[in-house]
PDB file of all heavy atoms in Angstrom:
ATOM      1  N   LYS A  78      17.767  -8.880 -25.561  1.00  0.00           N
ATOM      2  CA  LYS A  78      17.815  -7.680 -26.230  1.00  0.00           C
ATOM      3  C   LYS A  78      19.164  -7.059 -26.305  1.00  0.00           C
ATOM      4  O   LYS A  78      19.453  -6.329 -27.120  1.00  0.00           O
ATOM      5  CB  LYS A  78      16.775  -6.624 -25.619  1.00  0.00           C
ATOM      6  CG  LYS A  78      15.411  -7.105 -25.734  1.00  0.00           C
ATOM      7  CD  LYS A  78      14.428  -6.056 -25.268  1.00  0.00           C
ATOM      8  CE  LYS A  78      12.949  -6.325 -25.295  1.00  0.00           C
ATOM      9  NZ  LYS A  78      12.516  -7.615 -25.817  1.00  0.00           N
ATOM     10  N   GLY A  79      19.975  -7.478 -25.312  1.00  0.00           N
ATOM     11  CA  GLY A  79      21.358  -7.030 -25.212  1.00  0.00           C
ATOM     12  C   GLY A  79      22.408  -7.906 -25.772  1.00  0.00           C
ATOM     13  O   GLY A  79      22.107  -9.107 -26.180  1.00  0.00           O
ATOM     14  N   GLU A  80      23.700  -7.541 -25.780  1.00  0.00           N
ATOM     15  CA  GLU A  80      24.857  -8.380 -26.018  1.00  0.00           C
ATOM     16  C   GLU A  80      25.283  -9.072 -24.675  1.00  0.00           C
ATOM     17  O   GLU A  80      25.510  -8.306 -23.773  1.00  0.00           O
ATOM     18  CB  GLU A  80      25.859  -7.642 -26.725  1.00  0.00           C
ATOM     19  CG  GLU A  80      25.605  -7.173 -28.029  1.00  0.00           C
ATOM     20  CD  GLU A  80      25.543  -8.338 -29.036  1.00  0.00           C
ATOM     21  OE1 GLU A  80      26.378  -9.276 -28.972  1.00  0.00           O
ATOM     22  OE2 GLU A  80      24.713  -8.297 -29.941  1.00  0.00           O
ATOM     23  N   TYR A  81      25.458 -10.289 -24.667  1.00  0.00           N
ATOM     24  CA  TYR A  81      25.911 -11.120 -23.554  1.00  0.00           C
ATOM     25  C   TYR A  81      26.999 -11.942 -24.004  1.00  0.00           C
ATOM     26  O   TYR A  81      26.786 -13.039 -24.603  1.00  0.00           O
ATOM     27  CB  TYR A  81      24.766 -11.905 -22.897  1.00  0.00           C
ATOM     28  CG  TYR A  81      23.665 -10.942 -22.440  1.00  0.00           C
ATOM     29  CD1 TYR A  81      22.503 -10.639 -23.100  1.00  0.00           C
ATOM     30  CD2 TYR A  81      23.854 -10.461 -21.099  1.00  0.00           C
ATOM     31  CE1 TYR A  81      21.584  -9.833 -22.566  1.00  0.00           C
ATOM     32  CE2 TYR A  81      22.933  -9.652 -20.512  1.00  0.00           C
ATOM     33  CZ  TYR A  81      21.761  -9.314 -21.306  1.00  0.00           C
ATOM     34  OH  TYR A  81      20.773  -8.525 -20.751  1.00  0.00           O
ATOM     35  N   PRO A  82      28.261 -11.626 -23.813  1.00  0.00           N
ATOM     36  CA  PRO A  82      29.420 -12.341 -24.436  1.00  0.00           C
ATOM     37  C   PRO A  82      29.681 -13.770 -23.638  1.00  0.00           C
ATOM     38  O   PRO A  82      30.374 -14.520 -24.143  1.00  0.00           O
ATOM     39  CB  PRO A  82      30.573 -11.367 -24.208  1.00  0.00           C
ATOM     40  CG  PRO A  82      30.144 -10.557 -23.163  1.00  0.00           C
ATOM     41  CD  PRO A  82      28.702 -10.310 -23.235  1.00  0.00           C
ATOM     42  N   SER A  83      29.047 -13.849 -22.446  1.00  0.00           N
ATOM     43  CA  SER A  83      29.323 -15.085 -21.745  1.00  0.00           C
ATOM     44  C   SER A  83      28.023 -15.795 -21.584  1.00  0.00           C
ATOM     45  O   SER A  83      27.017 -15.279 -21.255  1.00  0.00           O
ATOM     46  CB  SER A  83      29.963 -14.706 -20.298  1.00  0.00           C
ATOM     47  OG  SER A  83      30.137 -15.855 -19.600  1.00  0.00           O
ATOM     48  N   ALA A  84      28.094 -17.094 -21.788  1.00  0.00           N
ATOM     49  CA  ALA A  84      26.931 -17.939 -21.568  1.00  0.00           C
ATOM     50  C   ALA A  84      27.311 -19.337 -21.032  1.00  0.00           C
ATOM     51  O   ALA A  84      28.329 -19.992 -21.239  1.00  0.00           O
ATOM     52  CB  ALA A  84      26.269 -18.295 -23.019  1.00  0.00           C
ATOM     53  N   SER A  85      26.386 -19.858 -20.123  1.00  0.00           N
ATOM     54  CA  SER A  85      26.587 -21.116 -19.625  1.00  0.00           C
ATOM     55  C   SER A  85      25.112 -21.813 -19.697  1.00  0.00           C
ATOM     56  O   SER A  85      24.109 -21.255 -19.850  1.00  0.00           O
ATOM     57  CB  SER A  85      26.955 -21.138 -18.071  1.00  0.00           C
ATOM     58  OG  SER A  85      26.042 -20.463 -17.292  1.00  0.00           O
ATOM     59  N   VAL A  86      25.220 -23.224 -19.747  1.00  0.00           N
ATOM     60  CA  VAL A  86      23.988 -23.943 -19.954  1.00  0.00           C
ATOM     61  C   VAL A  86      23.817 -25.131 -18.939  1.00  0.00           C
ATOM     62  O   VAL A  86      24.880 -25.734 -18.616  1.00  0.00           O
ATOM     63  CB  VAL A  86      24.067 -24.591 -21.454  1.00  0.00           C
ATOM     64  CG1 VAL A  86      22.754 -25.394 -21.740  1.00  0.00           C
ATOM     65  CG2 VAL A  86      24.181 -23.536 -22.419  1.00  0.00           C
ATOM     66  N   ARG A  87      22.709 -25.312 -18.497  1.00  0.00           N
ATOM     67  CA  ARG A  87      22.404 -26.529 -17.639  1.00  0.00           C
ATOM     68  C   ARG A  87      21.106 -27.119 -18.328  1.00  0.00           C
ATOM     69  O   ARG A  87      20.335 -26.504 -18.956  1.00  0.00           O
ATOM     70  CB  ARG A  87      22.158 -26.012 -16.129  1.00  0.00           C
ATOM     71  CG  ARG A  87      23.331 -25.298 -15.616  1.00  0.00           C
ATOM     72  CD  ARG A  87      23.271 -25.054 -14.225  1.00  0.00           C
ATOM     73  NE  ARG A  87      22.150 -24.353 -13.759  1.00  0.00           N
ATOM     74  CZ  ARG A  87      21.807 -24.141 -12.435  1.00  0.00           C
ATOM     75  NH1 ARG A  87      22.565 -24.654 -11.461  1.00  0.00           N
ATOM     76  NH2 ARG A  87      20.747 -23.523 -12.107  1.00  0.00           N
ATOM     77  N   PHE A  88      20.853 -28.421 -17.766  1.00  0.00           N
ATOM     78  CA  PHE A  88      19.731 -29.278 -18.307  1.00  0.00           C
ATOM     79  C   PHE A  88      19.131 -29.942 -17.083  1.00  0.00           C
ATOM     80  O   PHE A  88      19.799 -30.529 -16.291  1.00  0.00           O
ATOM     81  CB  PHE A  88      20.191 -30.043 -19.359  1.00  0.00           C
ATOM     82  CG  PHE A  88      19.005 -30.915 -20.076  1.00  0.00           C
ATOM     83  CD1 PHE A  88      18.314 -30.201 -20.872  1.00  0.00           C
ATOM     84  CD2 PHE A  88      18.820 -32.159 -19.804  1.00  0.00           C
ATOM     85  CE1 PHE A  88      17.129 -30.808 -21.567  1.00  0.00           C
ATOM     86  CE2 PHE A  88      17.817 -32.871 -20.469  1.00  0.00           C
ATOM     87  CZ  PHE A  88      16.943 -32.125 -21.300  1.00  0.00           C
ATOM     88  N   ASP A  89      17.803 -29.905 -17.149  1.00  0.00           N
ATOM     89  CA  ASP A  89      17.028 -30.675 -16.183  1.00  0.00           C
ATOM     90  C   ASP A  89      16.457 -31.805 -17.069  1.00  0.00           C
ATOM     91  O   ASP A  89      15.442 -31.656 -17.703  1.00  0.00           O
ATOM     92  CB  ASP A  89      15.970 -29.807 -15.492  1.00  0.00           C
ATOM     93  CG  ASP A  89      15.003 -30.645 -14.561  1.00  0.00           C
ATOM     94  OD1 ASP A  89      14.997 -31.777 -14.669  1.00  0.00           O
ATOM     95  OD2 ASP A  89      14.418 -30.000 -13.732  1.00  0.00           O
ATOM     96  N   ALA A  90      16.974 -33.032 -16.728  1.00  0.00           N
ATOM     97  CA  ALA A  90      16.560 -34.122 -17.527  1.00  0.00           C
ATOM     98  C   ALA A  90      15.104 -34.686 -17.228  1.00  0.00           C
ATOM     99  O   ALA A  90      14.282 -35.154 -18.024  1.00  0.00           O
ATOM    100  CB  ALA A  90      17.570 -35.412 -17.404  1.00  0.00           C
ATOM    101  N   ASP A  91      14.681 -34.496 -15.943  1.00  0.00           N
ATOM    102  CA  ASP A  91      13.431 -34.855 -15.437  1.00  0.00           C
ATOM    103  C   ASP A  91      12.311 -34.081 -16.201  1.00  0.00           C
ATOM    104  O   ASP A  91      11.289 -34.582 -16.758  1.00  0.00           O
ATOM    105  CB  ASP A  91      13.284 -34.887 -13.960  1.00  0.00           C
ATOM    106  CG  ASP A  91      14.267 -35.866 -13.325  1.00  0.00           C
ATOM    107  OD1 ASP A  91      14.483 -36.926 -13.929  1.00  0.00           O
ATOM    108  OD2 ASP A  91      14.648 -35.528 -12.152  1.00  0.00           O
TER     109      ASP A  91
END
Side-chain angles (χ1 to χ4, degrees):
K78 296 188 182 355
E80 289 292 319
Y81 296 94
S83 180
S85 63
V86 179
R87 300 190 304 171
F88 186 71
D89 179 337
D91 294 331

